[in-house]
Amino acid sequence: MTTGVRRRMGVEERRQQLIGVALELFSQRSPDEVSIDEIASAAGISRPLVYHYFPGKLSLYEAALKRASEDLASRFVEPRRGPLGARLLRVMRRFFDFVDEHGPGFSALMRGGPAVGSTTTNALIDAVRQAAYDQILAHLEVEHPPARLELVVRSWISLVESTALIWLDGRRIPRAELEVQLVHDFAVLTAVSAAYDEEMGVLLRRMLKDEPPDGPFADLVARLADFTS
């Protein structure tokens, strides 16, 4: 008869395990409601051993947020092929996949959670927003955005965040509808800005030029036509 021998984890491997366990628990409940004892139990180790790898709950929470923020930022990465509307819709679907799977963790990331106001948390949130901003500009093929375009893109990212947070509070609007609506919102923000600036007008015409009749931008035009006919 043989007995199993539990393999001893290295320092970095154990740290990554604890971050993964903490992130899973933070995804299910607010980080304020998760104790170090729960994290230790879920990881199969003692409470003092958790403190051996992380000085306290805040440092573990920030490490979990860092992993979550990197995952969230990666949701905005999309091959720059095909119509822009379809690309943005795929991005929104992946974004809401994350929100759906990590509701409390997403809320904590965007609102700061127990580390509200900390330099680390603010930097993580800013990094996610900047990654999203850079990706959208890359899809628009703009390296040096004019002021109005920067306003449109950053306003849209803020709208995406706030929409997701509101949706989590009861999920009263079908998720698929919100994903399409946010793509429509991007087109509308761009169109309003184009009404004031010719450079934005050129960008809008370029955005719409290759859109198929069954794409989200064409769908928006059709919906708006119902109010003008």
Side-chain angles (χ1 to χ4, degrees):
M1 178 174 139
T2 60
T3 57
V5 178
R6 193 156 74 180
R7 183 176 63 84
R8 184 182 181 88
M9 290 187 182
V11 173
E12 186 56 29
E13 186 178 7
R14 177 66 79 182
R15 280 177 56 85
Q16 293 305 316
Q17 183 218 16
L18 285 170
I19 291 170
V21 166
L23 184 58
E24 180 65 25
L25 291 172
F26 294 155
S27 295
Q28 297 166 4
R29 303 194 337 264
S30 168
D32 290 318
E33 300 172 0
V34 177
S35 69
I36 286 291
D37 287 330
E38 287 181 86
I39 295 170
S41 176
I45 62 175
S46 66
R47 175 189 174 98
L49 195 53
V50 175
Y51 285 110
H52 175 73
Y53 294 99
F54 292 94
K57 179 178 171 180
L58 179 59
S59 63
L60 179 52
Y61 171 73
E62 289 180 342
L65 277 190
K66 183 175 187 297
R67 182 182 291 184
S69 68
E70 290 169 350
D71 183 3
L72 184 56
S74 73
R75 306 295 174 115
F76 286 88
V77 178
E78 170 72 22
R80 295 194 286 277
R81 297 190 299 270
L84 178 63
R87 283 183 256 164
L88 290 179
L89 185 55
R90 287 192 293 271
V91 167
M92 286 297 95
R93 285 172 178 160
R94 285 198 302 272
F95 177 84
F96 271 89
D97 281 344
F98 181 95
V99 173
D100 212 357
E101 295 163 10
H102 305 285
F106 174 79
S107 295
L109 176 62
M110 291 298 113
R111 292 175 172 145
V116 63
S118 80
T119 302
T120 300
T121 304
N122 290 341
L124 290 173
I125 295 169
D126 288 343
V128 171
R129 290 169 177 157
Q130 187 61 40
Y133 176 76
D134 291 341
Q135 283 296 317
I136 298 304
L137 289 185
H139 284 291
L140 296 173
E141 300 179 352
V142 175
E143 291 186 11
H144 306 290
R148 289 186 188 276
L149 179 56
E150 180 173 1
L151 180 61
V152 164
V153 177
R154 294 200 185 277
S155 296
W156 182 71
I157 292 169
S158 178
L159 177 61
V160 170
E161 289 176 15
S162 58
T163 298
L165 288 170
I166 294 169
W167 177 74
L168 281 171
D169 185 17
R171 307 182 186 218
R172 292 170 292 172
I173 300 174
R175 171 186 151 177
E177 289 183 15
L178 279 184
E179 292 165 355
V180 175
Q181 182 178 316
L182 284 165
V183 176
H184 289 172
D185 287 333
F186 184 83
V188 169
L189 286 170
T190 305
V192 170
S193 186
Y196 291 87
D197 184 86
E198 177 55 32
E199 191 173 9
M200 290 297 296
V202 171
L203 176 64
L204 179 63
R205 284 189 286 272
R206 183 153 55 86
M207 278 174 48
L208 300 177
K209 182 168 64 76
D210 297 322
E211 285 296 314
D214 60 346
F217 289 165
D219 175 58
L220 172 62
V221 173
R223 288 173 183 269
L224 292 176
D226 291 339
F227 296 98
T228 59
S229 58

